[in-house]
Amino acid sequence: MNWIDLRSDTVTRPSAIMRKAMAEAEVGDDVYGEDPTVNRLERKAAELFGKEAALFLPTGTMGNTIAIKLHTEHGQEVICESRAHILNYELSMMAWFAGCVARPIVADRGLLSWSQIEAEIRPLGPHSAPTGLIEIENSHNMAGGSVYPLQTIQEIAAVTHSRGLKIHMDGARIFNAAASLGCTVRDIAAPVDSVMFCLSKGLGAPVGSMLVGTRQDMDRGRLLRKRLGGGMRQAGILAAAGLIALEQMPARLGEDHAHARQLATALAECQGVVVEGHVETNIVIADFSKSRISAAQFSKAMQEKGILLNTISPTKARLVTHLDVSAESIQVAVTAIRQLLF
Ligand code: TLP
């Protein structure tokens, strides 16, 4: 069956151009720092993000894990939003590897403000663990792909730094955020200490994420990556696809965002279905608590029509658009939604 796969943008497959670049990639042993293609990708990412250095990683989870370890000490708290990926989808790596606990804050559309963060910052005391790090997710996956306004990031970072703390951004989909705001990733990254972003989601590379930050942090990060089993040797084969992802793919993300809005509009027109947030990027979260069918029933019925999506809770379904979902497929999905729910 030719599935229309809206489960995630992680399902994208490498293009013919990427596969050719992978086949032809110049490689060396990256644990010795000798893979020219990885080195080129790391230089390119650092340059694009306006940071001193970058690190090529197998996954976004490893990038967030390394960043949290870099910026904290054991026994500290990491302030994040309640639906953050680092808290809910990374197997407690912040506890397992960095010895930290999360201090989650519930925020409208998943977007924290400085005043919310300030109220949760703790000094070391006889009872409380001190705050070690502020983490923000941009775009925010489980809040429906919401995007931080630049000013909010600048405000949070300025006050975070004045308190002697660091701020890390889970920018798995930062290129979607930039496309939505009409700015560069450098603009978004400027106020924060480190950013993790993924090559293997909307940008279409088969594998890979990056961490960007200071030279000193990335040098330490390289050792942490090795500890986690992320020394990838002739990784230039993967980095070659990553370079194409960075150079060619960001320009087309607006298409995915338009497709997500089409799905959101169709869902919002259905009785009892509530679409979360403003649908600024490629993620649509629909709440079925007031609908005559549950999120699981919706997912099953869509699957019978050849359309895959994920439920993210008993009441909510998530639909993610990406480069392997064409305009025609979106029309098919919209028709299916109307047939099932209208
Ligand atoms: N997200 C995946 C799942 O893990 C939920 C998805 O399908 O959306 N940060 C954010 C914001 C993410 O959405 C993800 C992956 C990651 C980090 C982790 O990336 P990987 O899967 O490369 O470890």
Side-chain angles (χ1 to χ4, degrees):
M1 187 155 194
N2 225 352
W3 295 101
I4 297 172
D5 197 343
L6 301 170
R7 288 174 301 168
S8 182
D9 46 11
T10 59
V11 303
T12 49
R13 298 193 182 152
S15 63
I17 299 171
M18 274 183 188
R19 287 172 189 265
K20 182 165 186 291
M22 292 171 81
E24 291 169 1
E26 225 188 313
V27 295
D29 192 327
D30 183 50
V31 172
Y32 293 95
E34 288 173 3
D35 189 302
T37 313
V38 171
N39 292 342
R40 200 145 60 84
L41 175 64
E42 290 181 346
R43 277 198 304 275
K44 171 99 193 160
E47 198 181 289
L48 262 180
F49 279 74
K51 300 293 184 200
E52 286 173 11
L55 200 53
F56 182 48
L57 306 150
T59 65
T61 299
M62 189 184 284
N64 285 333
T65 299
I66 290 173
I68 293 170
K69 179 74 181 158
L70 282 174
H71 299 313
T72 59
E73 289 170 17
H74 269 230
Q76 292 188 323
E77 289 191 351
V78 175
I79 291 182
C80 60
E81 206 278 327
S82 63
R83 287 164 284 178
H85 198 276
I86 56 163
L87 172 60
N88 299 302
Y89 297 93
E90 297 188 6
L91 292 128
S92 294
M93 278 306 277
M94 77 168 85
W96 196 83
F97 193 59
C100 290
V101 291
R103 170 66 53 188
I105 301 175
V106 177
D108 185 37
R109 293 169 53 227
L111 307 178
L112 295 167
S113 66
W114 169 248
S115 58
Q116 285 176 305
I117 293 171
E118 188 174 34
E120 296 296 340
I121 288 188
R122 280 147 209 256
L124 179 61
H127 303 295
S128 54
T131 304
L133 177 69
I134 312 298
E135 190 265 359
I136 59 176
E137 188 172 312
N138 192 25
S139 64
H140 193 311
N141 185 352
M142 292 298 161
S146 52
V147 177
Y148 272 91
L150 285 182
Q151 207 190 330
T152 309
I153 304 171
Q154 287 155 2
E155 208 172 272
I156 295 174
V159 197
T160 298
H161 290 144
S162 76
R163 297 292 190 95
L165 294 168
K166 295 272 174 70
I167 175 166
H168 169 67
M169 182 180 288
D170 176 346
R173 298 182 178 83
I174 194 172
F175 283 91
N176 295 87
S180 166
L181 291 175
C183 69
T184 61
V185 288
R186 178 188 278 250
D187 295 331
I188 300 177
V192 303
D193 298 287
S194 54
V195 180
M196 182 286 290
F197 71 93
C198 296
L199 300 161
S200 63
K201 298 194 167 61
L203 302 186
V207 177
S209 292
M210 315 242 13
L211 186 65
V212 295
T214 64
R215 162 65 54 199
Q216 198 183 11
D217 279 347
M218 294 309 105
D219 285 348
R220 276 183 62 217
R222 195 168 290 275
L223 302 179
L224 296 172
R225 183 183 69 177
K226 190 70 168 60
R227 281 213 161 102
L228 288 166
M232 291 192 291
R233 308 296 178 183
Q234 286 73 38
I237 283 183
L238 302 173
L243 276 162
I244 292 183
L246 276 187
E247 283 158 9
Q248 298 185 11
M249 306 310 269
R252 58 156 306 285
L253 292 173
E255 227 175 276
D256 299 340
H257 298 181
H259 289 163
R261 282 194 299 276
Q262 280 175 261
L263 294 173
T265 306
L267 283 161
E269 282 166 6
C270 300
Q271 183 122 35
V273 180
V274 178
V275 172
E276 288 202 356
H278 303 167
V279 189
E280 294 152 277
T281 57
N282 66 326
I283 298 176
V284 182
I285 292 180
D287 188 326
F288 286 78
S289 20
K290 296 197 176 68
S291 161
R292 64 187 155 73
I293 66 170
S294 69
Q297 285 168 328
F298 172 64
S299 170
K300 187 163 179 290
M302 288 288 274
Q303 186 168 345
E304 279 159 12
K305 290 174 179 287
I307 302 157
L308 300 176
L309 54 96
N310 275 328
T311 55
I312 57 165
S313 78
T315 55
K316 290 180 186 177
R318 183 185 74 155
L319 294 80
V320 185
T321 58
H322 52 78
L323 68 136
D324 287 345
V325 183
S326 65
E328 296 74 48
S329 297
I330 292 294
Q331 275 319 315
V332 173
V334 163
T335 307
I337 289 168
R338 292 199 171 124
Q339 281 169 354
L340 286 173
L341 296 168
F342 226 48

